[in-house]
Amino acid sequence: MKLKIDEQRCKGCNLCTTVCPYNIFQEGRKLNERGIIVPILDRPQRCTNCRLRHLYGRQLCGACQMICPDQAIYWVEEDPYSEESVVIEF
Amino acid sequence: MSTRVFEKWYREDRLPHIFCTGCGNGTVMNCAIKAVDTMQWEIDDTIFISGIGCSSRAPGYITTDSLHTTHGRALTFATGVKMANPDLNVVVFTGDGDLSAIGGNHFIHACRRNIDMTVICMNNMIYGMTGGQGSPCTPVGKISTTTPYGATEPTFDLAGLAVAAGANHVARWTSYHTKELTKAIETGLSTEGLSFIEAMVQCPTAYGRRNKLRTVTDMVEWMRTHSILLQKARRMEAEGKSIPEDFFTVGEFIHRQRPAMGVKR
Ligand SMILES: Cc1ncc(C[n+]2csc(CCOP(=O)(O)OP(=O)(O)O)c2C)c(N)n1
Ligand code: SF4
Ligand code: SF4
Ligand code: SF4
Ligand SMILES: [Mg+2]
């Protein structure tokens, strides 16, 4: 799975940057076309849900998605040949 | 396939919602919807009801039938719905002003009658929608447009009020405690009788801005650091220590089986 922020919904509150145990969300720097500074993702392939969702067959962690007041955080199925492959860190 | 938050329950065409950047109401909606989803309730059997206020806009973003009623009267409409058709699952979204100021009378009587519904109050300690007037929940010393030198009146303890008035399940959490809040709502949904869940939320626009909590994360951090578990507060009380000023308790206040009205036949 691949972690995404929907730029059409995000209002840039930065709550996601405070809850992720891996600090994947980092405060953004650039305004987008809607005038919002959307957080940037630092190596999102580390996300628990990205790595293990298929193994467990259910949503894992999800702290960022639950606290996001704008329902902007979601995951998409990953293209198996994309460059950001799943890396399991121990 | 993509995994959005509860696509089934959100009216995706209505999002993004009108809440300000970082408003806690959106988080409480996530928790409530997750709890409803866990209950495996059907869209057609569920109804969300609200009064007037920012918090009361929530049902408009949910796919089920909903009633957006008049200020303070969410519980009267909900009582009507539940008594007319007890088979419906009724969830009420309300604000601190809506529930405890103009709607205070209905609140105590709904608890007394113990009508089978779940009431989720998004307590931002202010009248958010109308620009930040003080509510019965604005803490002493805090600034609002109607308390420019700091509020002087004692506040309502909404959870305590619900316990005293007779609700079967009462809990308080904050929009920071998403896991606990979801669990508390879920327990509320599965409890017969009135379940009251007080969700403390950040209102960066009308409350935080005036009270030295300028950013969204400041306000959430304040709630995180100023909430005390009920068990701990009770222990402190037993030891004769007082809970520091500005702190509030979180946890499950009561869970009981008083006789209820409007329970599914
Ligand atoms: C009968 C009536 N009186 C007053 C108002 C104005 N009014 C609209 S919302 C509101 C307060 C809402 O406060 P709260 O319930 O705390 O909701 P919040 O916006 O903070 O979520 C008031 C006084 C109204 N709409 N109707
Ligand atoms: S919590 Fe949601 S709305 Fe807020 S910055 Fe993160 S993605 Fe954007
Ligand atoms: S699901 Fe958990 S680990 Fe993954 S990005 Fe969100 S908070 Fe971080
Ligand atoms: S005024 Fe406050 S309660 Fe209303 S939407 Fe804005 S932040 Fe939320
Ligand atoms: Mg309010």
Side-chain angles (χ1 to χ4, degrees):
Chain A
M1 304 293 277
K2 202 168 177 171
L3 179 67
K4 296 247 182 201
I5 298 179
D6 185 341
E7 298 228 353
Q8 296 307 311
R9 288 195 189 167
C10 173
K11 293 184 188 145
C13 67
N14 281 317
L15 282 176
C16 50
T17 65
T18 64
V19 295
C20 176
Y22 298 101
N23 288 321
I24 286 171
F25 301 89
Q26 304 278 332
E27 262 184 57
R29 283 181 288 273
K30 274 213 304 275
L31 287 174
N32 72 2
E33 82 227 353
R34 289 171 65 232
I36 296 220
I37 304 177
V38 176
I40 42 180
L41 301 177
D42 173 23
R43 291 164 290 157
Q45 64 274 25
R46 293 177 297 155
C47 162
T48 319
N49 195 46
C50 295
R51 289 187 281 121
L52 302 171
R53 187 189 176 97
H54 286 304
L55 189 64
Y56 284 79
R58 63 180 168 89
Q59 165 92 47
L60 291 152
C61 181
C64 54
Q65 195 184 43
M66 282 308 285
I67 206 161
C68 174
D70 284 279
Q71 295 79 34
I73 296 170
Y74 66 110
W75 289 268
V76 289
E77 211 58 70
E78 208 171 7
D79 165 5
Y81 302 108
S82 74
E83 274 182 29
E84 271 181 321
S85 60
V86 175
V87 183
I88 299 188
E89 285 187 341
F90 294 98
Chain B
M1 188 195 88
S2 86
T3 48
R4 294 255 180 191
V5 260
F6 317 116
E7 281 149 295
K8 177 180 156 193
W9 295 96
Y10 275 113
R11 289 169 75 182
E12 303 259 314
D13 57 325
R14 293 300 173 108
L15 296 176
H17 46 58
I18 59 144
F19 302 142
C20 309
T21 301
C23 172
N25 294 350
T27 305
V28 176
M29 283 182 73
N30 287 343
C31 297
I33 289 180
K34 185 173 185 183
V36 167
D37 195 60
T38 314
M39 293 293 289
Q40 298 186 314
W41 284 356
E42 295 294 329
I43 288 178
D44 287 345
D45 301 338
T46 308
I47 177 162
F48 286 87
I49 300 175
S50 66
I52 296 291
C54 297
S55 35
S56 296
R57 304 277 307 209
Y61 300 105
I62 301 177
T63 42
T64 66
D65 282 341
S66 59
L67 286 172
H68 188 192
T69 70
T70 48
H71 193 31
R73 314 295 176 226
L75 291 173
T76 62
F77 284 82
T79 302
V81 169
K82 195 63 188 169
M83 295 320 285
N85 185 357
D87 291 338
L88 289 172
N89 303 309
V90 177
V91 182
V92 175
F93 281 123
T94 178
D96 50 323
D98 196 58
L99 184 82
S100 72
I102 190 167
N105 193 12
H106 305 304
F107 179 36
I108 52 176
H109 289 290
C111 291
R112 172 180 65 81
R113 292 179 177 135
N114 211 8
I115 300 158
D116 187 24
M117 58 170 112
T118 301
V119 181
I120 302 168
C121 177
M122 302 168 189
N123 181 357
N124 52 13
M125 306 176 279
I126 201 105
Y127 288 176
M129 176 166 268
T130 42
Q133 295 81 3
S135 87
C137 296
T138 305
V140 174
K142 299 299 174 193
I143 312 290
S144 71
T145 58
T146 48
T147 58
Y149 307 108
T152 50
E153 299 169 7
T155 56
F156 258 148
D157 170 358
L158 298 182
L161 197 60
V163 172
N168 260 357
H169 174 75
V170 179
R172 181 195 290 133
W173 289 101
T174 78
S175 55
Y176 172 79
H177 301 92
T178 52
K179 233 181 168 156
E180 294 85 349
L181 179 59
T182 308
K183 194 85 201 96
I185 298 176
E186 207 188 306
T187 313
L189 298 175
S190 55
T191 306
E192 284 187 359
L194 195 137
S195 303
F196 177 67
I197 317 291
E198 181 178 357
M200 304 296 293
V201 291
Q202 69 276 18
C203 167
T205 307
Y207 184 85
R209 195 161 50 94
R210 296 194 175 86
N211 288 291
K212 300 196 182 111
L213 299 163
R214 272 191 172 269
T215 66
V216 176
T217 39
D218 280 350
M219 255 202 103
V220 174
E221 185 60 16
W222 183 87
M223 291 197 299
R224 188 179 75 78
T225 51
H226 287 72
S227 49
I228 307 189
L229 270 179
L230 197 54
Q231 289 88 331
K232 188 178 171 191
R234 284 183 181 153
R235 211 176 328 124
M236 285 168 69
E237 235 163 62
E239 290 165 7
K241 290 186 214 149
S242 60
I243 298 161
E245 222 181 296
D246 257 16
F247 280 62
F248 60 93
T249 47
V250 292
E252 185 178 286
F253 287 72
I254 208 154
H255 186 81
R256 61 188 165 193
Q257 272 88 35
R258 275 182 70 240
M261 289 176 72
V263 181
K264 211 177 255 188
R265 287 165 290 222

